[in-house]
């Protein structure tokens, strides 16, 4: 589910939106600017939802308030079944994931409320520019991907993430080998190899390991956008959503835990592996991991999203709305790759043949 | 009649004692009737030795009391040659005192004949004009030396050195004497005249001999080929050589003279100047005739033949030769040898190389384009959470390395028989001349 919430200007009542440059809410009608917190406070005074601080999933879980959800509408994509949320004045016309038209499903009924949000720091123009740069110098790209008109369809989306923090302790067993002696006689060469059983244990603290909470966003695409700087995250406030789509998680924390565990386990195993030094080869035999004091938060990450349909397949490009990192697999014209490769190869082959002839090797 | 035969036998017997000593230590000047003094004999001997050393020719003059028992003086000279000369090239002058008749016996390469009618006639005239037998002998030796000098003949160093060895194997025919000393580290580029009697093997050789070939491409010392077959193979070998710029030769023998077959073949090839062009490209098949189990066929290859004929091809050729030769079908055997060698050295069609180059180019081209296309993919799953480790929190709480066991890996060394290596098409070895050869051997 994506949500686009429209805040009202306290001065003129017009719809305001979040300005990424000023990091404030701005009214396009009276040019008034407001701090997000102030605007939220204003709305609180007006009976809106309270601010969320120091959220811990265990203790600070909160639900959306009615005030927060009042102006939000849920739109559903009939093509991919994705739900997007937009405010009642801006609305949503197309699905950010597949580009298909969406229809309004009704008023948003809030579930779990995000703890954190990383506000967009880069605007749509920056995203469009990044996309153009991303395409620059790429070979064998289908013509449709170079169509500038598509770039205007790029959308800012807050993607739900679960952030896992913990102290992880690992115990890993290795078998390590090193060559300890070499000699030879008339017939054979001999190599003496000594094996060791190596054991390492250690612990380290992980902060905010993200796991994508939306099935509509490919996990590898979101992980390719990392890292996000969570230090710049702020407690969630609906004001940050103004002007953007927001997606509601459809993968819960429990379902996301295995992925977080997997990444943490690999990290600690790799770290401990690096301490087994002085050997020619090291093989991991067994590893165990214990998570101590783990907690998780629900956060929204800013992502600029562009979906281009090519040959009945959606190709999703994304830009980290905080750092500007742009990723996305560009569909490659394999026929073109082979044809050009063959032509280059023929040229190389003929040149090689000519050179070999010239120097008399053939 | 019986009396005449008995007289002839006695005469020949007596003559053999008078004129044909069993030892090769005798003088080159034979004077059974005592026409010369000892000092004159010594002086003439020096002239003969000088000719051998400088030109590689065996020179002899014989003042025969008579030549009874021989149909011609030439036959007598031939007998002297067989008895005294260990060289292929020789000039022997016989003066039959009883008949006052003289004649020359000459053995040399018919293609580079030195002692033509004019030359021998001039020597004879000089001999005839001399006032004494000694001066006549001097005129003979000087005439021989002058003729050889004018013909540009020179003895190779190993030829001279080879004498010491060949003397100990008197009676054997030419070929593979081993010099005790040689300075053949220097390339021997002198004319090959006079070298065909040796495949001398220097003890300390660091470079190759580089002489011109003087022996034909077919040398049938074992006499297993008919004259027609010899002519046939000579033509085939020459055609092969001309077409592929790679000399092919056939040599048959009955005795390895203490060498291995491979050594004999290599030395025969090297010291007799086989091989095409500066690189001495070519191959030689040595067939050792003998009883069953003693027969042997050996190939030696050099230059382009070494590059083109690998171990597998050599094995095929040797098996084909053995398959026919063991039944006495030598024509088939050597036909197989030439046919299979032709298959191996036949140049690959230019189109084949073009296709190979195109295939290599295609692979390179596709690697290039795929590498370029790979930049289109930037989505990758993250395996770890390394970006989220809080700095300075890593604590190693346990660290223990315990010896488990020791094992020994045994890797056989690459086999290297007689200095063989495998840096060419097939395994190679180095001959006594220092030249790298390919080849193989089979006994049957």
């Amino acid at each position: 589910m994506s949500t686009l919430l429209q805040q009202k200007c306290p001065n003129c009542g017009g719809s305001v939106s979040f300005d990424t440059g000023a990091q404030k809410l701005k009214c396009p009608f009276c040019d008034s600017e407001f701090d997000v917190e102030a605007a939220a406070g204003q709305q609180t005074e007006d009976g809106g939802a309270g601010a969320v601080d120091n959220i811990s999933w265990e203790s600070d879980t909160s639900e959306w308030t009615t005030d927060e959800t009042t102006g939000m509408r849920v739109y559903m994509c009939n093509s991919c079944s994705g739900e997007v949320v937009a405010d009642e004045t801006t609305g949503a016309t197309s699905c950010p994931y597949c580009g298909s038209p969406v229809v309004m499903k009704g008023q948003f009924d809030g579930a779990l409320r995000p703890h954190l949000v990383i506000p967009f720091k880069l605007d749509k123009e920056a995203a469009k520019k990044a996309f153009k740069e991303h395409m620059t110098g790429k070979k064998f790209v289908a013509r449709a991907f170079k169509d500038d008109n598509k770039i205007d369809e790029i959308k800012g989306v807050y993607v739900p993430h679960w952030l896992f923090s913990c102290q992880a302790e690992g115990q890993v067993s290795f078998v390590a080998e090193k060559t300890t002696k070499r000699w030879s006689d008339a017939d054979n060469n001999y190599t003496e190899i000594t094996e060791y059983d190596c054991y390492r244990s250690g612990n380290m603290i992980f902060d905010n390991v993200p796991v994508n909470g939306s099935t509509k966003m490919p996990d590898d695409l979101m992980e390719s956008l990392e890292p996000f700087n969570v230090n710049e995250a702020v407690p969630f406030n609906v004001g940050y959503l103004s002007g953007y789509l927001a997606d509601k998680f459809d993968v819960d924390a429990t379902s996301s835990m295995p992925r977080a565990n997997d990444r943490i386990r690999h990290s600690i195993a790799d770290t401990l592996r690096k301490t087994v030094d002085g050997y020619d080869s090291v093989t991991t035999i067994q590893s165990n991991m214990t998570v101590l004091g783990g907690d998780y938060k629900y956060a929204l990450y800013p992502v600029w999203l562009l979906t281009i349909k090519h040959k009945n397949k959606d190709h999703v490009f994304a830009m980290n709305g905080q750092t500007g990192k742009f990723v996305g697999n560009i569909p490659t014209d394999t026929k073109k790759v082979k044809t050009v490769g063959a032509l280059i190869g023929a040229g190389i082959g003929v040149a090689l043949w000519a050179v070999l002839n010239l120097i008399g090797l053939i | 009649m019986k009396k005449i035969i008995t007289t002839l036998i006695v005469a020949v017997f007596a003559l053999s004692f008078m004129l044909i000593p069993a030892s090769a230590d005798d003088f080159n000047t034979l004077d059974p009737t005592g026409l010369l003094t000892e000092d004159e004999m010594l002086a003439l001997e020096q002239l003969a030795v000088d000719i051998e050393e400088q030109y590689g020719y065996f020179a002899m003059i014989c003042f025969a009391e008579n030549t009874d028992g021989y149909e011609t003086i030439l036959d007598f000279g031939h007998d002297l040659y067989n008895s005294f000369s260990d060289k292929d090239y020789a000039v022997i002058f016989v003066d039959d005192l009883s008949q006052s008749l003289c004649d020359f016996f000459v053995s040399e390469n018919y293609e580079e004949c030195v002692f033509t009618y004019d030359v021998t006639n001039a020597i004879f005239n000089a001999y005839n004009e001399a006032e004494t037998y000694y001066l006549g002998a001097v005129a003979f030796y000087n005439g021989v030396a002058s003729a050889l000098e004018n013909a540009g003949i020179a003895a190779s160093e190993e030829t001279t050195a080879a004498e010491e060895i060949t003397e100990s194997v008197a009676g054997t025919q030419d070929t593979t004497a081993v010099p005790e000393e040689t300075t053949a580290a220097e390339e021997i580029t002198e004319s090959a005249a006079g070298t065909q009697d040796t495949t001398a093997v220097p003890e300390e050789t660091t470079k190759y001999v580089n002489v011109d070939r003087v022996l034909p491409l077919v040398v049938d010392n074992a006499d297993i080929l008919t004259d027609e077959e010899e002519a046939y193979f000579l033509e085939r070998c020459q055609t092969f050589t001309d077409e592929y710029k790679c000399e092919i030769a056939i040599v048959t023998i009955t005795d390895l003279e203490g060498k291995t077959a491979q050594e004999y073949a290599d030395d025969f090839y090297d010291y007799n100047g086989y091989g095409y062009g500066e690189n001495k490209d070519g191959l030689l098949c040595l067939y050792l005739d003998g009883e069953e189990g003693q027969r042997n066929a050996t190939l030696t290859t050099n230059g382009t033949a070494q590059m083109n004929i690998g171990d597998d091809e050599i094995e095929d050729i040797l098996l084909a030769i053995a398959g026919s030769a063991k039944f006495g079908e030598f024509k088939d055997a050597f036909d197989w040898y030439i046919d299979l060698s032709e298959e191996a050295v036949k140049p690959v069609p230019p189109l084949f190389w073009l296709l190979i180059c195109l295939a290599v180019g295609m692979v390179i081209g596709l690697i290039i384009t795929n590498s370029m296309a790979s930049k289109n993919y930037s989505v990758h799953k993250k395996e770890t959470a390394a970006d989220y480790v809080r700095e300075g929190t890593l604590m190693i709480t346990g660290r223990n390395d315990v010896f488990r066991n020791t094992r020994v890996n045994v890797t056989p060394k690459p086999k290297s028989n007689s200095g063989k290596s495998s840096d060419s098409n097939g395994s190679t070895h180095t001959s006594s001349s220092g030249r790298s050869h390919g080849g193989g051997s089979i006994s049957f």
Side-chain angles (χ1 to χ4, degrees):
Chain A
M1 176 200 73
S2 294
T3 306
L4 188 64
L5 177 65
Q6 187 58 64
Q7 299 274 28
K8 301 296 182 185
C9 174
N11 296 332
C12 68
S15 297
V16 297
S17 61
F18 183 72
D19 186 282
T20 53
Q23 292 287 298
K24 290 181 177 177
L25 291 173
K26 187 173 184 179
C27 176
F29 303 103
C30 65
D31 290 335
S32 300
E33 290 184 353
F34 312 94
D35 287 336
V36 175
E37 301 299 333
Q42 180 66 40
Q43 292 211 356
T44 302
E45 289 173 8
D46 295 340
V52 180
D53 290 323
N54 299 322
I55 297 173
S56 167
W57 72 273
E58 291 174 337
S59 58
D60 291 330
T61 301
S62 63
E63 299 292 330
W64 295 85
T65 65
T66 305
D67 289 335
E68 286 177 319
T69 60
T70 298
M72 298 196 303
R73 299 287 182 269
V74 178
Y75 297 83
M76 183 171 182
C77 174
N78 287 329
S79 178
C80 70
S81 302
E83 288 187 347
V84 292
V85 177
D87 79 312
E88 57 187 348
T89 55
T90 304
T93 56
S94 61
C95 174
Y97 304 119
C98 68
S100 301
V102 294
V103 295
M104 192 173 74
K105 188 179 175 185
Q107 184 172 339
F108 172 66
D109 52 344
L112 194 63
R113 188 173 185 274
H115 299 117
L116 300 170
V117 58
I118 298 177
F120 275 93
K121 288 180 73 175
L122 298 168
D123 60 14
K124 188 171 184 176
E125 288 306 313
K128 287 163 70 175
K129 185 181 174 188
F131 177 76
K132 286 178 181 174
E133 288 174 356
H134 184 70
M135 300 299 289
T136 302
K138 299 296 192 297
K139 309 295 181 187
F140 315 114
V141 182
R143 199 170 287 276
F145 286 88
K146 292 183 176 176
D147 188 349
D148 284 346
N149 294 331
K150 300 273 185 185
I151 298 176
D152 289 331
E153 296 176 13
I154 198 163
K155 293 180 174 63
V157 182
Y158 280 106
V159 179
H161 276 75
W162 299 103
L163 308 183
F164 295 90
S165 300
C166 66
Q167 179 178 9
E169 184 175 304
Q171 301 90 32
V172 187
S173 299
F174 307 92
V175 169
E177 292 182 351
K178 65 178 172 184
T179 300
T180 47
K181 195 175 177 184
R182 292 180 194 273
W183 72 97
S184 62
D185 60 19
D187 299 322
N188 300 305
N189 293 319
Y190 301 88
T191 308
E192 182 187 85
I193 296 170
T194 305
E195 291 184 0
Y196 295 85
D197 284 324
C198 300
Y199 169 82
R200 297 287 185 278
S201 65
N203 57 62
M204 56 211 317
I205 294 175
F206 291 86
D207 289 324
N208 303 308
V209 178
V211 177
N212 174 31
S214 169
T215 55
K216 298 301 172 192
M217 286 292 284
D219 287 347
D220 54 359
L221 182 74
M222 285 310 304
E223 290 176 8
S224 298
L225 286 174
E226 293 179 17
F228 288 85
N229 184 2
V230 184
N231 291 331
E232 294 181 356
V234 295
F236 177 74
N237 186 298
V238 290
Y240 291 106
L241 306 186
S242 183
Y244 302 99
L245 295 171
D247 194 359
K248 195 187 105 178
F249 71 88
D250 55 2
V251 180
D252 63 20
T254 304
S255 300
S256 299
M257 276 294 269
R259 177 64 189 144
N261 289 342
D262 197 38
R263 292 183 66 177
I264 291 170
R265 182 182 291 106
H266 275 103
S267 285
I268 202 161
D270 280 0
T271 303
L272 293 176
R273 159 71 181 80
K274 287 172 186 168
T275 68
V276 185
D277 48 11
Y279 298 96
D280 298 331
S281 69
V282 179
T283 306
T284 301
I285 301 300
Q286 189 177 4
S287 67
N288 296 310
M289 186 186 72
T290 306
V291 173
L292 306 170
D295 63 18
Y296 56 88
K297 302 184 187 78
Y298 176 27
L300 297 180
Y301 278 7
V303 175
W304 285 101
L305 210 57
L306 175 65
T307 302
I308 299 177
K309 196 179 283 291
H310 177 66
K311 291 185 177 177
N312 296 323
K313 188 178 175 186
D314 292 332
H315 298 275
V316 184
F317 296 84
M319 189 183 87
N320 185 321
Q322 181 188 33
T323 66
K325 184 178 182 182
F326 202 105
V327 299
N329 290 340
I330 302 169
T332 302
D333 189 338
T334 52
K335 277 185 182 176
K336 207 170 176 180
V337 171
K338 290 175 184 171
T339 305
V340 175
L343 288 173
I344 293 174
I348 293 172
V350 170
L352 182 65
W353 183 76
V355 169
L356 291 178
N357 262 308
L358 202 63
I359 60 178
L361 284 181
I362 56 176
Chain B
M1 183 66 184
K2 187 177 180 183
K3 189 177 179 181
I4 294 171
I5 294 172
T6 305
T7 303
L8 283 174
I9 293 172
V10 171
V12 169
F13 187 73
L15 191 68
S16 66
F17 274 98
M18 288 195 309
L19 299 180
I20 308 176
S23 168
D25 290 330
D26 287 326
F27 292 127
N28 286 36
T29 303
L30 301 181
D31 178 29
T33 57
L35 300 172
L36 305 173
T37 65
E38 191 173 337
D39 289 340
E40 288 172 339
M41 286 288 284
L42 289 171
L44 292 174
E45 184 61 22
Q46 187 56 51
L47 293 176
V49 168
D50 288 344
I51 289 171
E52 280 201 21
E53 289 181 350
Q54 288 185 35
Y55 308 110
Y57 266 61
F58 175 79
M60 171 177 269
I61 185 168
C62 175
F63 300 103
E65 189 175 0
N66 59 65
T67 55
D68 293 346
Y70 295 90
E71 285 188 16
T72 64
I73 297 175
L74 199 63
D75 290 340
F76 183 86
H78 195 176
D79 205 353
L80 291 174
Y81 169 76
N82 288 335
S83 300
F84 291 98
S85 175
D86 53 7
K87 295 186 176 305
D88 288 334
Y89 294 169
V91 53
I92 299 172
F93 180 76
V94 178
D95 186 352
D96 186 341
L97 300 173
S98 66
Q99 302 181 65
S100 295
L101 283 175
C102 304
D103 207 349
F104 286 85
F105 171 82
V106 176
S107 172
E108 62 181 340
N109 184 359
Y110 71 95
E111 292 177 346
E112 297 175 0
C113 183
V114 175
F115 296 96
T116 60
Y117 173 79
D118 290 338
V119 171
T120 54
N121 203 37
I123 295 173
F124 171 73
N125 288 334
Y127 172 82
N128 217 21
E129 289 170 12
E131 293 181 4
T132 64
Y133 285 104
Y134 168 70
L135 292 176
V138 170
F140 162 74
Y141 284 122
N142 286 340
V144 168
S146 178
L148 293 170
E149 184 70 31
N150 291 337
I153 303 298
S156 63
E157 290 182 32
E158 68 264 28
T159 303
T160 305
E163 289 174 11
E164 294 178 26
I165 302 304
T166 51
E167 284 173 3
S168 66
V169 288
T172 61
Q173 185 183 357
D174 60 53
T175 62
T176 58
V178 181
E180 289 181 356
E181 287 184 11
T182 180
T183 55
E186 302 169 5
E187 284 195 11
I188 302 168
T189 55
E190 299 155 353
S191 167
T195 63
Q196 77 175 70
D197 60 338
T198 178
T199 53
V201 182
E203 287 182 352
E204 295 178 9
T205 306
T206 56
K207 288 190 178 178
Y208 322 136
V209 289
N210 187 18
V211 296
D212 295 331
R213 177 173 62 80
V214 293
L215 295 177
L217 293 173
V218 178
V219 178
D220 185 23
N221 286 339
D223 202 20
I224 59 173
L225 298 173
T226 65
D227 289 346
E228 291 77 16
E229 288 171 342
E230 206 169 320
Y232 165 76
F233 283 118
L234 199 58
E235 186 180 344
R236 281 209 69 184
C237 288
Q238 193 59 54
T239 304
F240 182 107
T241 301
D242 294 341
E243 186 167 351
Y244 301 115
K245 314 293 185 202
C246 177
E247 229 169 51
I248 187 168
I250 298 169
V251 176
T252 70
I253 56 170
T254 55
D255 184 12
L256 289 173
E257 299 174 10
K259 296 184 177 186
T260 66
Q262 192 67 62
E263 288 170 350
Y264 195 105
D266 293 343
D267 290 346
F268 201 98
Y269 188 95
D270 291 345
Y271 293 103
N272 286 308
Y274 284 93
Y276 190 93
E278 289 184 1
N279 293 328
K280 296 294 180 185
D281 303 321
L283 69 160
L284 180 148
C285 172
L286 177 74
Y287 173 71
L288 172 66
D289 199 27
E291 298 297 323
E292 185 175 350
Q294 306 296 317
R295 291 187 286 257
N296 179 283
T298 299
L299 285 188
T300 182
T301 59
N302 189 55
T304 55
Q306 187 180 350
M307 291 300 297
N308 292 326
I309 306 177
D311 288 343
D312 292 342
E313 286 90 351
I314 286 172
E315 187 178 345
D316 290 344
I317 293 170
L318 291 173
L319 287 172
I321 293 171
S324 296
K326 68 181 177 183
F327 298 113
E329 296 168 352
F330 298 112
K331 182 175 181 300
D332 287 348
F334 295 127
D335 269 331
W336 275 116
Y337 161 58
I338 296 173
D339 290 343
L340 294 176
S341 298
E342 191 169 14
E343 288 293 318
V345 304
K346 192 181 290 182
V348 178
L351 184 62
F352 173 81
W353 288 113
L354 179 60
L355 291 174
I356 292 290
C357 289
L358 284 175
V360 171
M362 291 289 178
V363 172
I364 295 172
L366 288 174
I367 289 173
I368 291 171
T369 52
N370 277 294
S371 172
M372 292 161 74
S374 69
K375 293 176 181 172
N376 293 356
Y377 301 97
S378 55
V379 175
H380 305 288
K381 196 174 180 181
K382 291 251 183 179
E383 293 300 327
T384 71
D387 293 333
Y388 306 99
V389 176
R390 189 186 299 175
E391 195 173 343
T393 60
L394 170 64
M395 287 182 62
I396 301 299
T397 55
R399 182 184 188 119
N400 194 16
D401 292 8
V402 180
F403 170 79
R404 187 178 190 185
N405 61 52
T406 295
R407 69 174 192 276
V408 176
N409 289 345
V410 182
T411 311
K413 282 184 173 176
K415 295 293 180 188
S416 57
N417 294 327
S418 305
K420 285 187 175 180
S421 62
S422 56
D423 56 353
S424 69
N425 191 10
S427 56
T428 64
H429 58 273
T430 303
S431 69
S432 66
S433 74
R435 180 178 285 157
S436 173
H437 283 270
S441 191
I442 185 171
S443 295
F444 50 96

